[in-house]
Amino acid sequence: MPRVYATPEQLTAWTGKPTPSDAERLLARASEDIDDALVRAVYLTDDAGMPTDPAVALTLRDAVCAQVEYQLATGDDGTGAAGRWDSVSIGPVSLSGRKDGPAAPGEVDLAPRAHRALTRAGLLPGLIW
């Protein structure tokens, strides 16, 4: 079972906007993105792989919410395909110009706010001792 670090209610509190109808799917995909970004991070987990340190759990929650917020703002549906198009519109917001995604297929297009939260918590860059 995949780990999901935030709930739809936490996403709504983070963004201050109504919960998207596919919030659970978006949160699951964003949690996978955060896991991929933290492949070398070291922190204690329980048997389900969830962090046991409350500060780490809060950081992962915030990073996942920031990742979903970023994907919604860029018109991504969690698949990464939005980075391939020249124009994206969401309601009254319109973005144009080509947005390059990750440099390589295996890299994560990590939201800047998610990256900063993970860095402040000492989870990035990940190190193995």
Side-chain angles (χ1 to χ4, degrees):
M1 176 176 224
R3 294 180 297 274
V4 179
Y5 301 113
T7 65
E9 295 79 18
Q10 291 167 334
L11 177 63
T12 298
W14 175 270
T15 62
K17 296 179 181 176
T19 305
S21 61
D22 58 347
E24 289 183 11
R25 183 184 64 79
L26 293 171
L27 290 165
R29 296 258 174 100
S31 293
E32 290 173 0
D33 289 347
I34 298 305
D35 278 345
D36 289 345
L38 295 179
V39 74
R40 292 186 180 156
V42 177
Y43 54 91
L44 296 176
T45 63
D46 61 18
D47 291 341
M50 297 298 284
T52 57
D53 182 334
V56 172
L58 289 174
T59 296
L60 296 185
R61 179 204 65 197
D62 290 350
V64 165
C65 289
Q67 186 72 5
V68 171
E69 178 182 50
Y70 173 74
Q71 290 171 339
L72 291 172
T74 61
D76 193 344
D77 60 1
T79 65
R84 312 273 188 255
W85 305 105
D86 291 336
S87 179
V88 175
S89 295
I90 304 171
V93 177
S94 180
L95 306 171
S96 63
R98 184 147 180 91
K99 178 193 169 290
D100 293 328
E107 292 181 11
V108 177
D109 184 15
L110 194 59
R113 290 182 66 163
H115 187 271
R116 289 192 303 268
L118 297 170
T119 300
R120 280 192 308 271
L123 296 171
L124 286 179
L127 300 173
I128 297 177
W129 301 325

